Amino acid sequence: MQHTPAPAATPSFYLKRHAQVVHALILVGVVLLVVQPVLLLAFERPWLDLFGAGSFLGLPTAPADGPARWRTALVSLLPVGGGLYALRQLWRLFGEYGHGRVFGKTAQDALVHFAWAVLLLALLLPLARGLMTVALSIGNPPGQRFMSISIAWFDCLHILFGAVLVAIARVMAEARRLADDNAGFV
């Protein structure tokens, strides 16, 4: 006996509105992520200090010269790329939610990929910040080069958040599998 899933329900007004708000926030997030390397390349140090680019990127100081800015901007592409991937998965997820396909396979896959992206980014961001400090100081004379790796409370919070998201995604995948199995018996 072949199970035919019921047609997707029409999304509620609130779910559709929520998906639209999240899509708008994702677009803002994309702009903020893409601006990071551009800020490093486009502005000299006094302007970077004014914008707080060093603290925005997790660096002890803004890059002083052109080659340091280029190196730091190139290394910053690693977390930027990971962030863009996570936001792409979130876009897919809320696109499905906006169409009322909350428990569909595409929504489930997007949730799983987003959860893993968040967890991996949380684990890799301290390392990426450390690599940016190396890129920042590698042009310094010997004895003035440094590497700074720090883990703050929000890094631990992001790791926990990622782990919770992975668990929720797995529970939802199992619930979907059980629902499909049970629907096949009816």
Side-chain angles (χ1 to χ4, degrees), residues 8 13 46 83 90 116 130 143 169 185:
F13 170 78
L90 203 59
W116 280 107
F185 289 123

Side-chain angles (χ1 to χ4, degrees), residues 23-178:
H23 274 166
L25 292 173
I26 291 169
L27 291 174
V28 170
V30 166
V31 169
L32 288 174
L33 279 173
V34 172
V35 159
Q36 286 183 2
V38 172
L39 275 177
L40 285 169
L41 293 174
F43 295 104
E44 297 292 327
R45 185 168 183 168
W47 287 102
L48 288 173
D49 289 338
L50 177 68
F51 291 133
S55 62
F56 185 61
L57 295 169
L59 296 172
T61 182
D65 62 350
R69 286 198 327 260
W70 273 98
R71 287 188 305 268
T72 309
L74 286 174
V75 173
S76 76
L77 291 177
L78 295 171
V80 167
L84 291 175
Y85 175 79
L87 290 177
R88 170 70 179 124
Q89 299 309 313
L90 203 59
W91 184 274
R92 285 180 55 219
L93 177 65
F94 278 89
E96 290 295 301
Y97 287 179
H99 289 98
R101 298 185 291 261
V102 176
F103 299 108
K105 179 166 176 29
T106 304
Q108 181 60 45
D109 289 345
L111 178 61
V112 168
H113 290 133
F114 174 72
W116 280 107
V118 167
L119 182 58
L120 291 174
L121 275 170
L123 292 169
L124 294 175
L125 275 174
L127 178 62
R129 287 192 305 263
L131 289 174
M132 282 192 271
T133 61
V134 169
L136 175 70
S137 69
I138 203 158
N140 292 351
Q144 294 181 3
R145 297 175 185 150
F146 60 92
M147 178 176 190
S148 172
I149 295 181
S150 62
I151 297 177
W153 68 271
F154 55 83
D155 292 320
C156 298
L157 187 65
H158 291 152
I159 291 169
L160 287 173
F161 179 66
V164 167
L165 278 176
V166 168
I168 290 170
R170 284 188 173 176
V171 166
M172 289 189 65
E174 184 64 18
R176 184 175 182 273
R177 187 190 64 76
L178 289 172

